[in-house]
Amino acid sequence: MKSCLGLELGSTRIKAVTIDESFKPVSSGDYTWASSYEDGVWTYSLDEVWTGLKTALSKVENRDGIAAAGVSAMMHGYLAFDKDWNLLVPFRTWQNTITGPAAAELTELFGFNVPQRWSIAHLYQAVLNGEAHVPQIAHLTTLAGYIHYMLTGVNAVGIGEASGMFPIDSAALDYDAGMMSKFDALTAAKNLPWKLADLLPRVLTAGEDAGTLTQAGAARLDNLLPAGIPFAPAEGDAGTGMAATNAVAPRTGNVSAGTSIFAMVVLEKPLAKVYEEIDMVTTPTGSPVAMVHCNNCTNDTNAWVNLLGEAARIFGAEPDAGTLYTKLYEKSLEGDADCGGVMVCNYLAGEGVTHMDAGRPLVARSPESKFTLSNFFRSQLYSTMSTLKIGMDILAGEGVAIDSLTGHGGLFKTPVVGQSYMAAACNAPVTCMDTAGEGGPYGMALLASYLLDKAEGESLEDFLSNKVFAGVSGSTVRPDPAAADGFNTYIQRYKALLDVEKTAVEVL
């Protein structure tokens, strides 16, 4: 049986998933890992990358039948190598917020939002810091790009992954040449022995040849895979998420909601203004995508569910976690559309969209509010997506049209509830599909399938819609006008609550 393999290095797990000729997952393996905080930097060991990949792959069945593969990983960050591909400084991940001056200066220079986690922000901050390794840099890449090179010998990344390194010109399907020239002019006085174009990996779009697994690459994986397997262009977790949810066409998008929450919307045209709250990336084929990324989603809700479960156990009840979540989610549907005046701010961490450097979870209400379990828990769930709504409202103000959003992640596990609230928040239909349970690695396996199975001239959009997802079942919830009005009332109170949150961060 012919299968395609998707590898993904996420923040907590390294995963391997194979799909069959009908695009269904057939086998998987994983390895648990975690970042470490060393000398003020969040990092991962590159030695553990290979341990994890081999462990995950060893659990995959029928590896000799794999016909194509691809690598995905956490986007952004900083992996700098010398000419012989020796790592110059420990991997600096997307989690770091150590590039503020560089990100601000580049945003001003480019007229384009450059978030702190982007590779170019890390590079320029290292330049500003006068770090000793900077003149030695010969290659700058991402985690997925590094692994792809080590396996195939091809120093290239997919365009979606590249768009988290440096701004992309969607017409040219390459890095923005004008911005590259501005960067080189900015650093000219440093007399560095390189230009930016010398450092960055080549840009490839979905379906392009990105090399094959070499004998040396196979040996790195203890020959768990045979040499010669063609590889799709390496992609980031944003691009694979789009593929896994069939959200690569204009006016479509997806929302991933778990520990953090982010939405990606494929645009018909560029935004008119630059917004610090909105990241601009691309689909795996280079179409512009607006991303709203929020650090806080379900962690505070999880803490309250644990507390309520503890209260239930005092009275002898022993609800399992799944039942407890389901009952509380469903109970929230009985609450008022505006949560009866009960307010929650769910910030355990800082939040870039609302310009918070730290978080203090809050529950607030006025004396006349209706403080019921249903209103409280509905407010909890609204809070998981309120910061996202603030960003999505910016897109609505730009006239961005959304025909459909696909939801995935823990917030959507209980049928209908999370979908209903997200539809009200974003004023768009929200669909949850029965597939893509493995998320990123599944999306990467689909991109490997596209490399192998696409018809002459067939677009990724048509491949996904007509071949992969044509018969996939799911449920769609459309926005209810009363719920949307209630959420709009809630969000105005939420914005006022953020002033209380700022004070709480300062004094608590």
Side-chain angles (χ1 to χ4, degrees):
M1 179 188 71
K2 183 182 73 174
S3 63
C4 290
L5 169 70
L7 300 169
E8 185 184 57
L9 292 92
S11 57
T12 59
R13 285 197 302 160
I14 297 173
K15 293 160 278 189
V17 170
T18 55
I19 59 174
D20 61 17
E21 292 170 330
S22 61
F23 313 109
K24 300 291 190 296
V26 290
S27 185
S28 65
D30 68 350
Y31 172 88
T32 300
W33 71 337
S35 57
S36 57
Y37 193 65
E38 300 175 11
D39 298 324
V41 173
W42 287 104
T43 188
Y44 291 87
S45 160
L46 293 193
D47 288 338
E48 194 175 9
V49 164
W50 300 105
T51 300
L53 283 171
K54 288 184 284 189
T55 301
L57 271 173
S58 69
K59 301 173 185 177
V60 172
E61 300 171 358
N62 300 316
R63 292 188 299 273
D64 288 341
I66 293 170
V71 179
S72 176
M74 300 170 277
M75 290 177 68
H76 319 298
Y78 185 71
L79 277 165
F81 298 89
D82 68 13
K83 62 182 178 58
D84 297 317
W85 286 88
N86 297 305
L87 187 65
L88 294 171
V89 291
F91 174 30
R92 298 170 183 177
T93 77
W94 64 272
Q95 297 162 291
N96 291 288
T97 52
I98 55 177
T99 67
E105 188 174 345
L106 292 177
T107 295
E108 177 74 20
L109 177 70
F110 295 158
F112 185 101
N113 183 35
V114 177
Q116 285 203 50
R117 61 185 179 276
W118 281 30
S119 305
I120 190 62
H122 280 280
L123 174 63
Y124 187 50
Q125 190 64 55
V127 172
L128 292 178
N129 294 346
E131 296 185 39
H133 76 277
V134 168
Q136 303 173 56
I137 301 173
H139 306 290
L140 177 66
T141 191
T142 62
L143 184 56
Y146 159 71
I147 296 165
H148 183 90
Y149 174 76
M150 289 297 166
L151 294 179
T152 67
V154 175
N155 183 21
V157 294
I159 194 166
E161 176 78 336
S163 71
M165 297 189 73
F166 191 86
I168 292 291
D169 179 346
S170 287
L173 299 178
D174 205 345
Y175 302 114
D176 188 292
M179 294 184 196
M180 291 187 83
S181 295
K182 288 182 178 180
F183 183 86
D184 287 336
L186 180 67
T187 56
K190 304 289 185 181
N191 295 314
L192 296 169
W194 46 256
K195 300 288 188 186
L196 184 58
D198 301 331
L199 308 187
L200 295 174
R202 281 194 298 124
V203 178
L204 299 174
T205 57
E208 287 193 89
D209 176 19
T212 61
L213 182 63
T214 64
Q215 293 287 353
R220 279 189 169 272
L221 298 173
D222 289 349
N223 296 303
L224 289 165
L225 295 176
I229 295 174
F231 267 63
E235 265 300 348
D237 44 8
T240 56
M242 292 180 224
T245 55
N246 192 24
V248 297
R251 300 169 67 104
T252 66
N254 73 90
V255 178
S256 175
T259 303
S260 63
I261 185 169
F262 60 90
M264 293 177 287
V265 180
V266 186
L267 303 178
E268 296 176 283
K269 59 182 180 180
L271 299 180
K273 293 169 58 180
V274 176
Y275 300 93
E276 289 183 22
E277 301 87 351
I278 309 293
D279 294 2
M280 292 302 303
V281 292
T282 78
T283 68
T285 55
S287 296
V289 173
M291 175 191 282
V292 182
H293 186 281
C294 312
N295 291 335
N296 299 279
C297 187
T298 58
N299 274 346
D300 188 44
T301 303
N302 295 341
W304 278 102
V305 171
N306 291 338
L307 181 83
L308 294 169
E310 186 179 348
R313 285 190 289 275
I314 291 175
F315 297 95
E318 292 292 338
D320 66 82
T323 300
L324 192 57
Y325 274 94
T326 298
K327 292 290 187 185
L328 289 168
Y329 270 61
E330 291 173 345
K331 183 67 177 177
S332 74
L333 293 170
E334 300 173 16
D336 297 312
D338 66 350
C339 303
V342 180
M343 301 301 302
V344 172
C345 181
N346 68 330
Y347 291 3
L348 275 82
E351 196 57 80
V353 171
T354 51
H355 312 291
M356 298 279 188
D357 293 328
R360 301 290 186 273
L362 296 175
V363 179
R365 58 192 174 96
S366 60
E368 68 275 11
S369 64
K370 299 181 218 173
F371 192 49
T372 63
L373 178 60
S374 58
N375 276 333
F376 167 70
F377 209 77
R378 188 168 182 134
S379 183
Q380 271 291 335
L381 295 179
Y382 275 19
S383 77
T384 64
M385 55 191 79
S386 288
T387 306
L388 182 79
K389 177 174 171 56
I390 291 170
M392 296 296 278
D393 284 348
I394 293 173
L395 298 183
E398 278 263 356
V400 173
I402 304 174
D403 291 338
S404 65
L405 284 172
T406 302
H408 54 112
L411 188 65
F412 301 105
K413 282 186 178 177
T414 300
V416 177
V417 182
Q419 276 177 275
S420 299
Y421 300 157
M422 189 64 70
C426 298
N427 198 31
V430 176
T431 298
C432 289
M433 295 186 293
D434 296 336
T435 58
E438 289 292 342
Y442 174 72
M444 193 65 242
L446 291 179
L447 292 172
S449 291
Y450 178 61
L451 173 74
L452 204 63
D453 298 333
K454 67 180 185 297
E456 185 69 31
E458 183 178 34
S459 68
L460 178 62
E461 293 91 331
D462 288 344
F463 174 78
L464 293 173
S465 295
N466 300 334
K467 290 182 179 177
V468 177
F469 294 104
V472 171
S473 59
S475 64
T476 299
V477 174
R478 300 188 177 280
D480 173 73
D485 288 345
F487 210 127
N488 285 332
T489 299
Y490 182 90
I491 206 67
Q492 294 310 312
R493 296 172 182 154
Y494 185 87
K495 289 176 181 177
L497 182 66
L498 291 176
D499 288 333
V500 181
E501 174 73 6
K502 289 176 184 174
T503 302
V505 169
E506 291 170 5
V507 303
L508 293 180

